[in-house]
Amino acid sequence: MNTKNTKRLRLWLLPPQRAALLLAALLLACFATPAAAKHGVAIPVLNYHSIGVAPGNTYVLHPDTFARQMDYLAAHHYTPLTLDEFASVLSHKMPSPAHPVLLTFDDAYANNAEVALPILQQHNFPATLYVSTGLINTPGYLTWPQVKELSGAGWDIASHTVTHPHLPKLSKKAQREEIHAARAEIEQELGKPANTFAYPYGDYNRTTLRVLRKANFSYAFTTHPGWASSDQSPLELHRIVVDSQQPFEEWVQQLTKPTPQ
């Protein structure tokens, strides 16, 4: 008797109820979609940096392109989330809207307030800003009054370290100082908790993860491509880095179809 026939015989030798349950499970596995089987909850998280004009710089997105992307989200009924809403959906504490998305900005460029904010306000969209606090009040970057303006407009503000280093190159003590000092300054300036994190350059190691866990950070974002998912480690969530050189159609595809992981 071949292996396939042996498996069939074993199934039919099971008690009728158990056999029926196994058959139902097999049928569900056959007809489940890959996304449903792969992810409990999956949400696209868009990662922006500077919104301005710098041809050839992949991290500087033209304001017209940014406006077109936000118009697309509005026209296709996407719901940009706050960090609290994102956490509640990811942890199954609240139902997900039909098309959720999290909008994140890294570094703290001045044009996030001067250019991005007015565009987002046209649609009443919230966003999240990951601040490298050592860049605040330096040319081209936000001032603390501008950060407070963004916070007052509904943006979540969280830590992106002090000096934007490659964290794996630092000692444990230096990593701890970069992570803790930035968080403490943000919380002191804004009077709000800043318990999520984004890795500069997307770089981290086991030491970084241990520091974040010990400090009770709830989520941390990488630059691993793809959607953030409840199947991922809370401190290793994926993001879609928005590339200014990318055709609009590819941006839409990344937003609408999870990248296989």
Side-chain angles (χ1 to χ4, degrees):
M1 183 179 295
N2 63 34
T3 303
K4 187 175 181 180
N5 288 336
T6 302
K7 289 180 179 178
R8 285 178 178 170
L9 180 59
R10 287 174 182 168
L11 180 61
W12 290 116
L13 289 175
L14 290 171
Q17 289 182 338
R18 182 168 174 79
L21 287 172
L22 284 172
L23 283 171
L26 288 170
L27 288 171
L28 284 172
C30 290
F31 291 102
T33 64
K38 188 77 172 178
H39 305 291
V41 177
I43 300 171
V45 179
L46 297 177
N47 178 204
Y48 294 96
H49 291 80
S50 178
I51 309 299
V53 181
N57 188 327
T58 61
Y59 293 106
V60 181
L61 190 70
H62 195 284
D64 291 346
T65 304
F66 181 68
R68 184 184 180 192
Q69 291 180 359
M70 296 305 102
D71 288 344
Y72 178 92
L73 295 181
H76 289 81
H77 308 291
Y78 277 82
T79 302
L81 306 173
T82 65
L83 272 181
D84 282 346
E85 291 168 342
F86 171 84
S88 295
V89 171
L90 208 65
S91 60
H92 306 278
K93 292 179 181 177
M94 66 174 276
S96 176
H99 302 292
V101 64
L102 183 68
L103 308 176
T104 66
F105 292 77
D106 285 3
D107 302 338
Y109 292 97
N111 55 39
N112 294 169
E114 297 162 357
V115 181
L117 175 60
I119 293 171
L120 292 175
Q121 286 179 321
Q122 292 176 13
H123 302 292
N124 198 29
F125 285 172
T128 297
L129 175 67
Y130 285 100
V131 177
S132 292
T133 55
L135 298 176
I136 299 297
N137 297 324
T138 64
Y141 293 90
L142 294 165
T143 63
W144 277 114
Q146 286 177 311
V147 174
K148 291 174 182 178
E149 177 191 5
L150 291 173
S151 178
W155 287 40
D156 293 299
I157 314 296
S159 173
H160 198 43
T161 71
V162 177
T163 66
H164 203 279
H166 291 275
L167 287 169
K169 296 182 179 180
L170 303 184
S171 66
K172 181 178 180 179
K173 179 181 178 182
Q175 288 201 43
R176 189 188 308 116
E177 289 173 352
E178 284 278 350
I179 292 167
H180 286 222
R183 178 181 184 175
E185 188 171 6
I186 293 166
E187 292 181 343
Q188 181 179 356
E189 289 286 344
L190 302 180
K192 299 177 181 179
N195 59 355
T196 69
F197 187 77
Y199 302 101
Y201 308 104
D203 286 353
Y204 64 97
N205 58 14
R206 291 181 181 178
T207 298
T208 320
L209 295 173
R210 285 195 292 268
V211 170
L212 292 173
R213 287 193 190 101
K214 190 169 182 180
N216 295 316
F217 278 83
S218 55
Y219 293 104
F221 291 96
T222 70
T223 55
H224 299 317
W227 292 18
S229 166
S230 57
D231 293 338
Q232 297 160 10
S233 163
L235 298 181
E236 297 179 274
L237 296 176
H238 295 198
R239 285 194 292 178
I240 299 167
V241 178
V242 179
D243 182 345
S244 67
Q245 308 302 303
Q246 183 181 44
F248 184 79
E249 293 73 21
E250 289 185 14
W251 175 83
V252 170
Q253 186 175 30
Q254 283 184 307
L255 183 66
T256 54
K257 295 181 180 179
T259 303
Q261 299 167 13

